[in-house]
Amino acid sequence: MAQDLPGWVAELTDPRRAQTLEELADRLVPLAEHAIDVSRRLQALLNELNDPFRREALYGRVERLKARAGEALDEIASEIAASGEERINRIWSAWIQRAGEDDPVLVRQLRERLENDVLPALTRQQEDVAKRVASRTSSALEEATQTLLTRVEELAKAVTDLIHEVLPLAREGLNLASRISALSSRARKAGRGEIPQELQEAGAETSRIFDEAVARLELEWSALGARSASVRAALRGAEETAFSQVTTAMTRCVEDLAPEHVKVLNEAEARAEVLFEQLSKG
């Protein structure tokens, strides 16, 4: 803040304290540069605010949602396959423990029956569950994507209105810088020595306008920075909510199919018990 700066800062930068035409011209230059800097920062922030709504960013957001949903689906498919594999391993371990490994003919027969009479049913069940979960996921993903796009569109409209409201302020800073530079050039062309009354008044008025404009631009830049952070958080929230919508549908689907899946696993184990009894007696 100004009160925290050394006193000589105002002496060297305030055109109203200039005593000669050269001093007036010199002190107007940093004012113009300051106005340009604030305007450019404001424009840069407006561009940053608009970046998440460009077509490539929107495409990336949708693709990211699809990729995350695909990864979650792969995890569920792996868990389904692992449950079947675990049951097969349990069946085989029980068979070997009861039959022993000293009879290679029986072991071979057990393996063949396991692969031909037990494993296909489990494989079909795994494929069926995975297919139904994938179908539910596809429907949920389509719905979540539409919700996400709708929310982004609503937010984009609000951001566009905000940009149109703030953009003239950034241009105001550039126009002010042009006026200040023109006044500095007039002071230099006026020669040396004392400052004419007309230029003194122009310098004072320009300084007043500068103080008001820059204060307004700085305040708008600060507020826009906070708004930009809110927009980024909103977009992230919309994306996370869309993903949660998909995973919730997947979880419910798995929960709905779990009893049937467990039933098939139990039936396969029961079938294996019957086969073992038949082979061991044979």
Side-chain angles (χ1 to χ4, degrees):
M1 292 184 291
Q3 62 267 32
D4 297 326
L5 300 176
W8 57 263
V9 173
E11 291 290 339
L12 297 182
T13 58
D14 190 347
R16 289 164 289 198
R17 300 191 183 189
Q19 299 297 318
T20 66
L21 286 165
E22 293 162 306
E23 290 180 357
L24 176 61
D26 290 342
R27 296 179 186 195
L28 286 169
V29 171
L31 264 63
E33 292 176 344
H34 190 170
I36 292 173
D37 177 66
V38 174
S39 294
R40 286 179 175 172
R41 282 191 284 126
L42 193 56
Q43 286 181 324
L45 200 53
L46 289 174
N47 290 334
E48 179 182 329
L49 188 61
N50 188 55
D51 281 343
F53 302 100
R54 300 185 188 280
R55 178 176 299 179
E56 57 272 17
L58 182 60
Y59 176 80
R61 186 167 290 108
V62 172
E63 288 303 306
R64 186 161 52 248
L65 175 60
K66 291 180 179 179
R68 294 177 68 187
E71 291 173 359
L73 185 60
D74 288 342
E75 290 180 6
I76 290 178
S78 297
E79 291 175 1
I80 294 171
S83 66
E85 183 177 352
E86 180 184 2
R87 190 61 64 100
I88 286 293
N89 290 336
R90 191 166 82 180
I91 292 171
W92 181 248
S93 297
W95 278 9
I96 292 300
Q97 185 178 2
R98 293 166 64 184
E101 298 185 11
D102 297 334
D103 188 345
V105 175
L106 178 58
V107 171
R108 178 176 56 79
Q109 290 176 339
L110 289 172
R111 173 62 68 181
E112 291 177 351
R113 296 301 297 271
L114 182 66
E115 293 178 352
N116 295 330
D117 295 346
V118 179
L119 187 57
L122 291 182
T123 300
R124 287 193 299 271
Q125 172 63 15
Q126 292 169 16
E127 293 175 348
D128 180 63
V129 171
K131 182 178 179 180
R132 291 160 73 178
V133 173
S135 177
R136 183 83 65 89
T137 300
S138 178
S139 299
L141 180 59
E142 183 178 350
E143 183 178 347
T145 300
Q146 188 56 51
T147 300
L148 175 62
L149 292 176
T150 299
R151 287 174 172 169
V152 171
E153 183 179 355
E154 291 175 353
L155 193 57
K157 184 180 183 303
V159 168
T160 299
D161 292 342
L162 178 62
I163 290 175
H164 288 164
E165 179 182 339
V166 176
L167 190 57
L169 294 177
R171 292 170 180 163
E172 178 186 343
L174 296 177
N175 293 335
L176 177 60
S178 178
R179 290 170 55 188
I180 295 173
S181 297
L183 183 59
S184 177
S185 297
R186 280 181 57 194
R188 293 192 189 283
K189 291 178 181 178
R192 299 174 179 273
E194 295 185 359
I195 306 172
Q197 182 68 25
E198 179 187 357
L199 285 180
Q200 274 189 340
E201 293 175 356
E205 178 64 12
T206 298
S207 297
R208 182 189 66 78
I209 294 174
F210 169 82
D211 289 341
E212 293 178 356
V214 168
R216 192 164 58 251
L217 289 172
E218 291 281 8
L219 182 62
E220 194 63 47
W221 179 79
S222 177
L224 194 61
R227 188 67 62 87
S228 180
S230 297
V231 168
R232 290 194 299 272
L235 287 171
R236 185 62 177 169
E239 192 171 336
E240 290 302 316
T241 299
F243 179 62
S244 295
Q245 185 177 342
V246 175
T247 55
T248 297
M250 296 168 69
T251 301
R252 288 176 179 171
C253 183
V254 171
E255 291 174 350
D256 292 343
L257 297 176
E260 178 183 340
H261 183 60
V262 172
K263 179 182 177 182
V264 171
L265 294 178
N266 292 338
E267 289 175 350
E269 193 165 5
R271 171 63 176 162
E273 178 66 22
V274 173
L275 289 174
F276 182 83
E277 292 297 334
Q278 291 175 350
L279 289 173
S280 60
K281 290 179 180 179

